[in-house]
Every structure is written in C-alpha cells, then in structure tokens.
Coordinates of all heavy atoms in Angstrom, one line a residue:
M1 N 0.8 -1.2 0.0 CA 0.0 0.0 0.0 C 0.9 1.2 0.0 O 1.8 1.4 0.8 CB -0.9 0.0 1.2 CG -1.5 1.3 1.5 SD -2.9 1.5 2.6 CE -2.3 1.2 4.2
K2 N 0.6 2.1 -0.9 CA 1.4 3.4 -1.0 C 0.7 4.4 -0.1 O -0.5 4.7 -0.2 CB 1.4 3.8 -2.4 CG 2.3 5.1 -2.6 CD 2.4 5.4 -4.1 CE 3.2 6.6 -4.3 NZ 3.4 7.0 -5.7
L3 N 1.5 5.1 0.8 CA 1.0 6.1 1.6 C 1.3 7.5 1.0 O 2.3 7.7 0.4 CB 1.7 6.1 3.0 CG 1.4 4.8 3.8 CD1 2.3 4.8 5.1 CD2 0.0 4.6 4.1
S4 N 0.3 8.4 1.2 CA 0.5 9.7 0.7 C 1.4 10.6 1.6 O 1.5 10.2 2.8 CB -0.8 10.4 0.5 OG -1.4 10.8 1.8
I5 N 1.9 11.7 1.2 CA 2.7 12.5 2.0 C 1.9 13.1 3.2 O 2.4 13.3 4.2 CB 3.4 13.7 1.2 CG1 4.5 14.4 1.9 CG2 2.4 14.7 0.7 CD1 5.8 13.6 2.0
Q6 N 0.6 13.3 2.9 CA -0.3 13.8 4.0 C -0.3 12.8 5.2 O -0.3 13.2 6.3 CB -1.7 14.0 3.5 CG -2.6 14.6 4.5 CD -2.4 16.0 4.9 OE1 -1.6 16.7 4.2 NE2 -3.0 16.4 6.0
E7 N -0.3 11.5 4.8 CA -0.4 10.5 5.9 C 0.9 10.4 6.7 O 1.0 10.1 7.8 CB -0.7 9.1 5.3 CG -2.1 9.0 4.8 CD -2.4 7.8 4.0 OE1 -1.7 7.6 3.0 OE2 -3.3 7.0 4.4
F8 N 2.1 10.7 6.0 CA 3.4 10.7 6.7 C 3.5 11.9 7.6 O 4.2 11.8 8.6 CB 4.5 10.8 5.6 CG 4.8 9.4 5.1 CD1 4.6 9.1 3.8 CD2 5.4 8.4 5.9 CE1 5.0 7.8 3.3 CE2 5.7 7.2 5.5 CZ 5.5 6.9 4.1
F9 N 3.0 13.1 7.3 CA 3.3 14.3 8.0 C 2.1 14.8 8.8 O 1.8 16.0 8.7 CB 3.9 15.3 7.1 CG 5.3 14.9 6.6 CD1 5.5 14.8 5.3 CD2 6.3 14.7 7.5 CE1 6.7 14.4 4.8 CE2 7.6 14.3 7.0 CZ 7.8 14.2 5.6
M10 N 1.4 13.9 9.5 CA 0.3 14.4 10.3 C 0.8 14.7 11.7 O 0.1 15.4 12.5 CB -0.8 13.3 10.4 CG -1.5 13.2 9.1 SD -2.4 14.7 8.5 CE -3.6 14.8 9.8
L11 N 1.9 14.2 12.2 CA 2.4 14.5 13.5 C 3.6 15.5 13.4 O 4.3 15.5 12.4 CB 3.0 13.2 14.2 CG 2.0 12.1 14.5 CD1 2.6 10.9 15.1 CD2 0.8 12.7 15.4
Y12 N 3.6 16.4 14.4 CA 4.7 17.4 14.5 C 5.3 17.4 15.9 O 4.6 17.3 16.9 CB 4.1 18.8 14.1 CG 3.6 18.8 12.7 CD1 2.3 18.3 12.4 CD2 4.4 19.1 11.7 CE1 1.8 18.3 11.1 CE2 4.0 19.1 10.3 CZ 2.7 18.7 10.1 OH 2.2 18.6 8.8
A13 N 6.6 17.5 15.9 CA 7.3 17.7 17.2 C 7.6 19.2 17.4 O 8.1 19.9 16.5 CB 8.6 16.9 17.1
I14 N 7.2 19.6 18.6 CA 7.5 21.0 19.0 C 8.5 20.9 20.1 O 8.2 20.4 21.1 CB 6.2 21.7 19.4 CG1 5.2 21.7 18.3 CG2 6.5 23.1 19.9 CD1 3.8 22.1 18.7
I15 N 9.7 21.5 19.9 CA 10.7 21.4 20.8 C 11.1 22.9 21.3 O 11.6 23.7 20.5 CB 12.0 20.8 20.3 CG1 11.7 19.4 19.8 CG2 13.1 20.7 21.3 CD1 12.7 18.8 18.8
G16 N 10.7 23.2 22.5 CA 11.0 24.5 23.1 C 12.2 24.4 24.0 O 12.3 23.5 24.8
R17 N 13.2 25.3 23.7 CA 14.4 25.4 24.6 C 14.3 26.6 25.4 O 14.1 27.7 25.0 CB 15.6 25.4 23.7 CG 15.8 24.1 22.9 CD 17.0 24.2 21.9 NE 17.1 23.0 21.2 CZ 16.4 22.6 20.1 NH1 15.5 23.5 19.6 NH2 16.6 21.5 19.5
D18 N 14.4 26.4 26.7 CA 14.3 27.5 27.7 C 15.4 28.5 27.6 O 16.6 28.1 27.3 CB 14.3 26.9 29.1 CG 12.9 26.3 29.5 OD1 12.2 25.9 28.6 OD2 12.7 26.1 30.7
G19 N 15.1 29.7 27.8 CA 16.1 30.8 27.8 C 16.6 31.0 29.3 O 16.1 30.3 30.2
P20 N 17.5 31.9 29.5 CA 18.0 32.2 30.8 C 17.0 32.5 31.9 O 17.1 32.1 33.0 CB 18.9 33.4 30.6 CG 19.3 33.4 29.2 CD 18.1 32.8 28.5
G21 N 15.9 33.1 31.5 CA 14.8 33.5 32.5 C 13.6 32.5 32.4 O 12.6 32.8 32.9
G22 N 13.8 31.4 31.8 CA 12.7 30.4 31.6 C 12.1 29.9 32.8 O 10.8 29.9 32.9
A23 N 12.9 29.6 33.8 CA 12.3 29.1 35.1 C 11.3 30.1 35.7 O 10.3 29.7 36.2 CB 13.4 28.8 36.1
A24 N 11.6 31.4 35.7 CA 10.8 32.4 36.3 C 9.4 32.5 35.6 O 8.4 32.6 36.2 CB 11.5 33.7 36.3
G25 N 9.4 32.3 34.3 CA 8.2 32.4 33.5 C 7.3 31.2 33.5 O 6.1 31.2 33.3
R26 N 7.9 30.0 33.8 CA 7.2 28.8 33.7 C 6.1 28.7 34.8 O 4.9 28.3 34.4 CB 8.1 27.6 34.0 CG 8.7 27.0 32.8 CD 9.6 25.8 33.0 NE 10.2 25.3 31.8 CZ 9.6 24.5 31.0 NH1 8.4 24.0 31.3 NH2 10.2 24.2 29.8
A27 N 6.3 29.1 36.0 CA 5.3 28.9 37.1 C 4.0 29.7 36.7 O 2.9 29.1 36.8 CB 5.9 29.4 38.4
G28 N 4.1 30.9 36.3 CA 3.0 31.7 36.0 C 2.2 31.3 34.8 O 1.0 31.4 34.7
A29 N 2.9 30.8 33.8 CA 2.3 30.4 32.5 C 1.9 29.0 32.5 O 1.1 28.6 31.5 CB 3.3 30.7 31.4
R30 N 2.3 28.2 33.4 CA 2.1 26.7 33.4 C 0.6 26.4 33.3 O 0.2 25.5 32.5 CB 2.7 26.0 34.5 CG 2.7 24.5 34.4 CD 3.6 23.9 35.5 NE 3.8 22.5 35.2 CZ 3.1 21.5 35.7 NH1 2.2 21.7 36.6 NH2 3.3 20.2 35.4
P31 N -0.3 26.9 34.1 CA -1.7 26.5 34.0 C -2.3 26.7 32.6 O -3.0 25.8 32.1 CB -2.4 27.4 35.1 CG -1.3 27.7 36.1 CD -0.1 27.9 35.2
A32 N -2.0 27.9 32.0 CA -2.6 28.1 30.7 C -1.9 27.2 29.6 O -2.6 26.7 28.7 CB -2.3 29.6 30.3
H33 N -0.6 26.9 29.8 CA 0.1 26.0 28.9 C -0.5 24.6 29.0 O -0.8 24.0 28.0 CB 1.6 26.0 29.3 CG 2.4 24.9 28.7 ND1 2.9 25.1 27.4 CD2 2.9 23.8 29.1 CE1 3.6 24.0 27.1 NE2 3.6 23.2 28.1
L34 N -0.8 24.1 30.2 CA -1.4 22.8 30.4 C -2.8 22.8 29.9 O -3.3 21.7 29.4 CB -1.3 22.4 31.9 CG 0.1 22.1 32.4 CD1 0.0 21.8 33.9 CD2 0.8 21.1 31.6
D35 N -3.6 23.9 30.0 CA -4.9 23.9 29.5 C -4.9 23.7 28.0 O -5.8 23.0 27.4 CB -5.6 25.3 29.8 CG -6.1 25.4 31.2 OD1 -6.1 24.3 31.9 OD2 -6.4 26.5 31.6
R36 N -4.0 24.3 27.3 CA -3.9 24.1 25.8 C -3.6 22.7 25.5 O -4.1 22.1 24.5 CB -2.9 25.1 25.2 CG -3.3 26.5 25.3 CD -2.2 27.4 24.7 NE -2.5 27.5 23.3 CZ -1.6 27.2 22.3 NH1 -0.3 26.9 22.7 NH2 -1.8 27.3 21.1
L37 N -2.6 22.1 26.2 CA -2.3 20.7 26.0 C -3.5 19.8 26.3 O -3.7 18.8 25.6 CB -1.1 20.3 26.9 CG 0.2 20.9 26.5 CD1 1.3 20.6 27.5 CD2 0.7 20.4 25.1
Q38 N -4.2 20.1 27.3 CA -5.4 19.3 27.7 C -6.4 19.3 26.5 O -7.1 18.3 26.2 CB -6.0 19.8 29.0 CG -7.2 18.9 29.5 CD -6.8 17.5 29.7 OE1 -5.7 17.2 30.3 NE2 -7.6 16.5 29.4
T39 N -6.6 20.5 25.9 CA -7.5 20.6 24.8 C -7.1 19.7 23.6 O -7.9 19.1 23.0 CB -7.6 22.1 24.3 OG1 -8.0 22.9 25.4 CG2 -8.5 22.3 23.1
L40 N -5.8 19.7 23.3 CA -5.2 18.8 22.3 C -5.5 17.3 22.7 O -5.9 16.5 21.9 CB -3.7 18.9 22.1 CG -3.3 20.1 21.3 CD1 -1.7 20.1 21.2 CD2 -3.8 20.0 19.9
A41 N -5.3 17.0 24.0 CA -5.5 15.6 24.4 C -7.0 15.2 24.3 O -7.3 14.1 23.8 CB -5.1 15.5 25.9
E42 N -7.9 16.1 24.7 CA -9.3 15.8 24.6 C -9.8 15.6 23.2 O -10.7 14.9 22.9 CB -10.1 16.9 25.3 CG -10.0 16.9 26.8 CD -10.5 18.1 27.5 OE1 -11.1 19.0 26.8 OE2 -10.4 18.1 28.8
A43 N -9.1 16.3 22.2 CA -9.4 16.1 20.8 C -8.7 14.9 20.2 O -8.9 14.6 19.0 CB -9.0 17.4 20.1
G44 N -8.0 14.1 21.0 CA -7.3 12.9 20.6 C -6.1 13.2 19.7 O -5.6 12.4 18.9
R45 N -5.5 14.4 19.8 CA -4.4 14.9 18.9 C -3.1 14.9 19.6 O -2.1 15.1 19.0 CB -4.8 16.3 18.4 CG -6.0 16.2 17.5 CD -6.5 17.6 17.1 NE -5.4 18.5 16.6 CZ -5.5 19.8 16.4 NH1 -6.7 20.4 16.6 NH2 -4.5 20.5 16.0
L46 N -3.0 14.8 21.0 CA -1.8 14.8 21.7 C -1.2 13.4 21.8 O -1.9 12.5 22.3 CB -2.0 15.4 23.1 CG -0.7 15.6 23.9 CD1 0.2 16.6 23.3 CD2 -1.1 16.1 25.3
I47 N 0.1 13.2 21.4 CA 0.7 12.0 21.5 C 1.5 11.9 22.8 O 1.5 11.0 23.6 CB 1.7 11.7 20.3 CG1 0.9 11.8 19.0 CG2 2.4 10.4 20.4 CD1 -0.3 10.9 18.9
V48 N 2.3 12.9 23.1 CA 3.2 13.0 24.3 C 3.6 14.5 24.5 O 3.7 15.2 23.6 CB 4.4 12.1 24.1 CG1 5.4 12.6 23.0 CG2 5.2 11.9 25.4
A49 N 3.8 14.8 25.8 CA 4.2 16.2 26.1 C 4.9 16.1 27.5 O 4.5 15.4 28.3 CB 3.0 17.1 26.2
G50 N 5.9 16.9 27.6 CA 6.6 17.0 28.9 C 7.9 17.8 28.8 O 8.4 18.1 27.7
P51 N 8.5 18.1 30.0 CA 9.7 18.9 30.0 C 11.0 18.0 29.9 O 10.9 16.8 30.1 CB 9.6 19.5 31.4 CG 8.9 18.4 32.3 CD 7.9 17.8 31.3
F52 N 12.1 18.7 29.6 CA 13.4 18.0 29.6 C 14.0 18.4 30.9 O 14.4 19.6 31.1 CB 14.3 18.6 28.5 CG 13.8 18.2 27.1 CD1 13.4 19.2 26.2 CD2 13.8 16.9 26.7 CE1 13.0 18.9 24.9 CE2 13.4 16.5 25.4 CZ 12.9 17.5 24.5
P53 N 14.2 17.5 31.9 CA 14.8 17.8 33.1 C 16.3 18.2 32.9 O 17.0 17.7 32.0 CB 14.8 16.5 33.9 CG 13.7 15.7 33.3 CD 13.7 16.1 31.9
A54 N 16.8 19.2 33.7 CA 18.2 19.6 33.6 C 19.2 18.6 34.0 O 20.3 18.7 33.7 CB 18.3 20.9 34.3
A55 N 18.7 17.6 34.8 CA 19.6 16.6 35.4 C 18.9 15.3 35.2 O 17.7 15.2 35.1 CB 20.0 16.9 36.8
D56 N 19.6 14.2 35.3 CA 19.1 12.8 35.2 C 18.4 12.5 36.5 O 18.9 11.7 37.3 CB 20.2 11.9 34.9 CG 19.7 10.5 34.6 OD1 18.5 10.3 34.3 OD2 20.5 9.5 34.5
S57 N 17.2 13.1 36.7 CA 16.4 12.9 37.9 C 15.0 13.2 37.6 O 14.6 14.0 36.8 CB 16.9 13.8 39.0 OG 16.1 13.8 40.1
E58 N 14.1 12.4 38.3 CA 12.7 12.7 38.2 C 12.2 13.9 39.0 O 11.2 14.5 38.8 CB 11.8 11.5 38.6 CG 11.9 10.4 37.6 CD 11.1 9.2 38.0 OE1 10.1 9.3 38.8 OE2 11.4 8.1 37.6
D59 N 13.1 14.3 40.0 CA 12.8 15.5 40.8 C 13.4 16.7 40.2 O 14.5 17.1 40.3 CB 13.5 15.3 42.2 CG 13.2 16.5 43.1 OD1 12.4 17.3 42.8 OD2 13.9 16.6 44.2
I60 N 12.5 17.4 39.4 CA 13.0 18.5 38.6 C 12.9 19.8 39.5 O 13.3 20.9 39.0 CB 12.2 18.7 37.3 CG1 10.7 18.9 37.5 CG2 12.5 17.5 36.4 CD1 9.9 19.2 36.3
G61 N 12.3 19.7 40.7 CA 12.2 20.9 41.5 C 13.6 21.5 41.9 O 13.7 22.7 41.9
A62 N 14.6 20.6 42.1 CA 15.9 21.1 42.5 C 16.7 21.5 41.3 O 17.5 22.4 41.4 CB 16.6 20.0 43.3
T63 N 16.6 20.8 40.2 CA 17.5 21.1 39.0 C 16.8 21.9 38.0 O 17.5 22.5 37.2 CB 17.9 19.8 38.4 OG1 16.8 19.1 37.9 CG2 18.7 18.9 39.4
G64 N 15.5 22.0 37.9 CA 14.8 22.7 36.8 C 14.8 22.0 35.5 O 15.1 20.8 35.5
V65 N 14.4 22.6 34.5 CA 14.2 22.0 33.2 C 14.9 22.9 32.1 O 15.2 24.1 32.4 CB 12.7 21.8 32.8 CG1 12.0 20.9 33.8 CG2 12.0 23.1 32.7
T66 N 15.2 22.3 31.0 CA 15.9 23.0 29.9 C 15.0 23.3 28.7 O 15.4 23.9 27.8 CB 17.1 22.2 29.5 OG1 16.7 21.0 29.0 CG2 18.1 22.0 30.6
G67 N 13.8 22.7 28.8 CA 12.9 22.9 27.6 C 11.7 21.9 27.7 O 11.5 21.3 28.7
S68 N 11.0 21.8 26.6 CA 9.8 20.9 26.5 C 9.7 20.3 25.2 O 10.2 20.8 24.2 CB 8.6 21.8 26.8 OG 8.6 22.5 28.0
L69 N 9.0 19.1 25.2 CA 8.7 18.4 23.9 C 7.2 18.2 23.9 O 6.6 17.7 24.9 CB 9.4 17.1 23.9 CG 9.0 16.1 22.8 CD1 9.4 16.6 21.4 CD2 9.5 14.7 23.0
I70 N 6.6 18.5 22.7 CA 5.2 18.2 22.5 C 5.2 17.5 21.1 O 5.8 18.0 20.1 CB 4.4 19.5 22.4 CG1 4.4 20.2 23.7 CG2 2.9 19.1 22.0 CD1 3.9 21.6 23.6
V71 N 4.5 16.3 21.1 CA 4.3 15.7 19.8 C 2.8 15.6 19.7 O 2.1 15.0 20.5 CB 4.9 14.3 19.7 CG1 4.6 13.6 18.4 CG2 6.5 14.4 19.9
A72 N 2.3 16.2 18.6 CA 0.8 16.2 18.4 C 0.5 16.2 16.9 O 1.3 16.5 16.1 CB 0.2 17.5 19.1
E73 N -0.8 15.9 16.7 CA -1.3 15.9 15.3 C -1.9 17.3 15.0 O -2.7 17.9 15.7 CB -2.4 14.9 15.2 CG -3.0 14.7 13.8 CD -4.1 13.7 13.7 OE1 -4.0 12.7 14.5 OE2 -5.0 13.9 13.0
F74 N -1.4 17.8 13.8 CA -1.9 19.0 13.2 C -2.2 18.8 11.8 O -1.6 17.8 11.2 CB -0.9 20.2 13.4 CG -0.7 20.6 14.9 CD1 0.3 20.1 15.6 CD2 -1.6 21.5 15.5 CE1 0.5 20.4 16.9 CE2 -1.4 21.9 16.8 CZ -0.4 21.3 17.5
D75 N -2.9 19.7 11.1 CA -3.2 19.5 9.7 C -2.1 19.9 8.8 O -2.0 19.4 7.7 CB -4.5 20.3 9.3 CG -5.7 19.8 9.9 OD1 -5.8 18.5 10.2 OD2 -6.7 20.5 10.1
S76 N -1.2 20.7 9.3 CA 0.0 21.2 8.5 C 1.1 21.7 9.4 O 0.9 22.0 10.6 CB -0.5 22.3 7.5 OG -0.8 23.4 8.3
L77 N 2.2 21.9 8.8 CA 3.3 22.5 9.5 C 3.0 23.9 9.9 O 3.3 24.4 11.0 CB 4.6 22.5 8.6 CG 5.9 23.1 9.2 CD1 6.3 22.4 10.5 CD2 7.0 23.1 8.2
E78 N 2.3 24.6 9.1 CA 1.9 26.0 9.4 C 1.0 26.0 10.6 O 1.1 26.9 11.4 CB 1.2 26.6 8.2 CG 2.1 26.9 7.0 CD 2.4 25.6 6.2 OE1 1.7 24.6 6.3 OE2 3.5 25.6 5.4
E79 N 0.0 25.1 10.7 CA -0.9 25.1 11.8 C -0.1 24.7 13.1 O -0.3 25.3 14.1 CB -2.0 24.0 11.6 CG -3.0 24.0 12.8 CD -4.0 22.9 12.7 OE1 -4.2 22.3 11.6 OE2 -4.6 22.5 13.7
A80 N 0.8 23.8 13.0 CA 1.6 23.4 14.2 C 2.5 24.6 14.6 O 2.6 24.9 15.8 CB 2.5 22.2 13.9
S81 N 3.1 25.3 13.7 CA 3.9 26.5 14.0 C 3.1 27.6 14.6 O 3.5 28.2 15.6 CB 4.6 27.0 12.8 OG 5.5 26.0 12.3
A82 N 1.9 27.8 14.1 CA 1.0 28.8 14.7 C 0.6 28.5 16.1 O 0.5 29.3 17.0 CB -0.2 29.0 13.8
W83 N 0.3 27.2 16.3 CA -0.1 26.7 17.7 C 1.1 26.9 18.6 O 0.9 27.4 19.7 CB -0.5 25.2 17.6 CG -1.1 24.8 18.9 CD1 -2.4 24.7 19.2 CD2 -0.4 24.2 20.0 NE1 -2.6 24.2 20.5 CE2 -1.4 23.9 21.0 CE3 0.9 24.0 20.3 CZ2 -1.0 23.4 22.2 CZ3 1.3 23.5 21.5 CH2 0.3 23.2 22.5
A84 N 2.3 26.6 18.2 CA 3.5 26.8 19.0 C 3.7 28.3 19.3 O 4.1 28.6 20.4 CB 4.7 26.1 18.4
D85 N 3.5 29.1 18.3 CA 3.7 30.5 18.5 C 2.8 31.1 19.5 O 3.1 32.1 20.2 CB 3.6 31.3 17.2 CG 4.7 31.1 16.2 OD1 5.8 30.6 16.6 OD2 4.5 31.4 15.0
A86 N 1.6 30.6 19.7 CA 0.6 31.1 20.6 C 0.7 30.4 22.0 O -0.1 30.7 22.9 CB -0.8 30.8 20.0
D87 N 1.7 29.6 22.2 CA 1.8 29.0 23.5 C 2.1 30.0 24.6 O 2.9 30.9 24.4 CB 3.0 27.9 23.5 CG 3.0 27.0 24.7 OD1 3.3 27.5 25.8 OD2 2.7 25.8 24.5
P88 N 1.4 29.9 25.8 CA 1.7 30.8 26.9 C 3.2 30.9 27.3 O 3.6 31.9 27.8 CB 0.8 30.3 28.0 CG -0.3 29.6 27.3 CD 0.3 29.0 26.1
Y89 N 3.9 29.8 27.1 CA 5.3 29.8 27.5 C 6.1 30.8 26.5 O 7.0 31.4 27.0 CB 5.9 28.4 27.4 CG 5.7 27.6 28.6 CD1 6.2 26.3 28.7 CD2 5.0 28.0 29.7 CE1 6.0 25.5 29.8 CE2 4.8 27.2 30.8 CZ 5.3 25.9 30.8 OH 5.1 25.1 31.9
Q90 N 5.6 30.9 25.3 CA 6.2 31.9 24.4 C 6.0 33.3 24.9 O 6.9 34.1 25.0 CB 5.6 31.8 23.0 CG 6.1 30.5 22.2 CD 7.4 30.8 21.6 OE1 8.4 31.0 22.2 NE2 7.4 30.7 20.3
A91 N 4.7 33.6 25.2 CA 4.3 34.9 25.7 C 5.1 35.3 27.0 O 5.4 36.5 27.2 CB 2.8 35.0 25.9
A92 N 5.3 34.3 27.8 CA 6.0 34.6 29.1 C 7.5 34.6 29.0 O 8.2 34.8 30.0 CB 5.6 33.5 30.1
G93 N 8.0 34.4 27.8 CA 9.5 34.4 27.6 C 10.2 33.2 28.2 O 11.4 33.3 28.4
V94 N 9.5 32.1 28.3 CA 10.1 30.9 28.8 C 11.1 30.4 27.8 O 12.3 30.0 28.1 CB 9.1 29.8 29.2 CG1 9.7 28.5 29.5 CG2 8.2 30.3 30.3
Y95 N 10.6 30.3 26.5 CA 11.4 29.7 25.5 C 12.4 30.7 24.8 O 11.9 31.8 24.5 CB 10.6 29.1 24.4 CG 9.7 27.9 24.9 CD1 8.4 27.7 24.4 CD2 10.2 26.9 25.7 CE1 7.7 26.6 24.8 CE2 9.4 25.9 26.1 CZ 8.2 25.7 25.6 OH 7.4 24.6 26.0
E96 N 13.6 30.3 24.7 CA 14.6 31.1 23.9 C 14.4 30.8 22.4 O 14.6 31.6 21.6 CB 16.0 30.7 24.4 CG 17.1 31.4 23.7 CD 18.4 31.1 24.4 OE1 18.9 29.9 24.3 OE2 19.0 32.0 25.0
S97 N 14.1 29.5 22.1 CA 13.8 29.1 20.7 C 12.8 28.0 20.7 O 12.7 27.2 21.7 CB 15.1 28.7 20.1 OG 15.6 27.5 20.7
V98 N 12.1 27.9 19.6 CA 11.2 26.8 19.4 C 11.4 26.2 18.0 O 11.5 27.0 17.0 CB 9.7 27.3 19.5 CG1 8.7 26.2 19.2 CG2 9.5 27.8 20.9
D99 N 11.5 24.9 17.9 CA 11.7 24.2 16.6 C 10.4 23.4 16.4 O 10.0 22.6 17.3 CB 12.9 23.4 16.7 CG 13.3 22.7 15.4 OD1 12.9 23.2 14.3 OD2 14.0 21.7 15.4
V100 N 9.8 23.5 15.3 CA 8.6 22.7 14.9 C 9.0 22.0 13.6 O 9.4 22.6 12.6 CB 7.4 23.6 14.7 CG1 6.2 22.8 14.3 CG2 7.1 24.5 15.9
R101 N 8.8 20.7 13.7 CA 9.1 19.9 12.5 C 8.2 18.6 12.4 O 7.7 18.2 13.4 CB 10.6 19.4 12.6 CG 10.9 18.6 13.8 CD 12.4 18.1 13.8 NE 13.3 19.2 13.9 CZ 14.6 19.1 13.9 NH1 15.1 18.0 13.7 NH2 15.4 20.2 14.0
P102 N 8.0 18.2 11.2 CA 7.2 17.0 11.0 C 7.9 15.8 11.8 O 9.1 15.7 11.9 CB 7.3 16.7 9.5 CG 7.6 18.0 8.9 CD 8.5 18.7 9.9
F103 N 7.0 14.9 12.2 CA 7.5 13.7 13.0 C 6.8 12.5 12.5 O 5.5 12.5 12.4 CB 7.2 14.0 14.5 CG 7.6 12.8 15.4 CD1 8.9 12.6 15.7 CD2 6.7 11.9 15.8 CE1 9.3 11.5 16.6 CE2 7.0 10.8 16.7 CZ 8.3 10.7 17.0
L104 N 7.5 11.5 12.2 CA 6.9 10.2 11.8 C 7.1 9.2 12.9 O 8.2 8.8 13.2 CB 7.6 9.7 10.5 CG 7.2 8.4 9.9 CD1 5.7 8.4 9.6 CD2 8.0 8.0 8.7
Q105 N 6.0 8.8 13.5 CA 6.0 7.8 14.6 C 6.1 6.4 14.0 O 5.2 6.0 13.2 CB 4.8 7.9 15.5 CG 4.8 6.9 16.6 CD 3.6 7.1 17.5 OE1 2.7 7.9 17.3 NE2 3.6 6.4 18.6
V106 N 7.2 5.7 14.3 CA 7.3 4.3 13.8 C 6.9 3.3 14.9 O 6.2 2.3 14.6 CB 8.8 4.1 13.4 CG1 9.0 2.7 12.9 CG2 9.2 5.1 12.3
L107 N 7.3 3.5 16.1 CA 6.9 2.7 17.2 C 6.5 3.5 18.4 O 6.9 4.6 18.6 CB 8.1 1.8 17.6 CG 8.6 0.8 16.6 CD1 9.9 0.2 17.1 CD2 7.6 -0.3 16.4
P108 N 5.7 3.1 19.3 CA 4.9 1.9 19.2 C 3.8 2.1 18.3 O 3.3 3.1 18.0 CB 4.5 1.6 20.7 CG 4.4 3.0 21.3 CD 5.5 3.8 20.5

C-alpha cells in the first residue's frame, strides 16, 4: 500500500528550549500552557508532552528544566507552528527558541 505525503506528516514535534529566564516564567504560565495541552488531548491529537529535566532525575524541583517536547497531530506545519507561537510559554518568555518539525512515529 502506498501512503501519501499527508499520511506521513500528520504528526509534528514541537521542541522548546528554555532561555536564561525560563524558570521564572514557567510557574505563572504553566496553568494556561497545560490547558492548551489538555485541549489537544481531549481532541485525541496529543501523543506526548513533557519537560526536559536539567539533570538525570525525576525530581525537577531542584534542578529545573531546559525545555519541553510536544508531539501532536496538526493539519499542517503551518498550523503546528501557529499553535506553538501562541503557547503561553512563548508569551511569558520561557522559550529562547522553538523548533517545529514533522514527526513520523514508527513505534509503538
């Protein structure tokens, strides 16, 4: 069976890298950030989301985080980029940079 390019690029990875003041902005923007993710989850479009701990530990309270990963379904790269641009972490200055790219899930 031949798959179309549309079927290949329905998932997008959004990788946000925290800037120097990222930790300060996270706390205030987190509820709104999580609300947007919950909306994606309720629509069945969220695959995975979470922070990158700064150290090899589940206790991120002491070490902080260096960024975030979101893998979700969008209709296009433009839609995924627009969604990422409107993230509350962007408005709060948490992210120094954001990379949005197509993602092909092979497993599981």
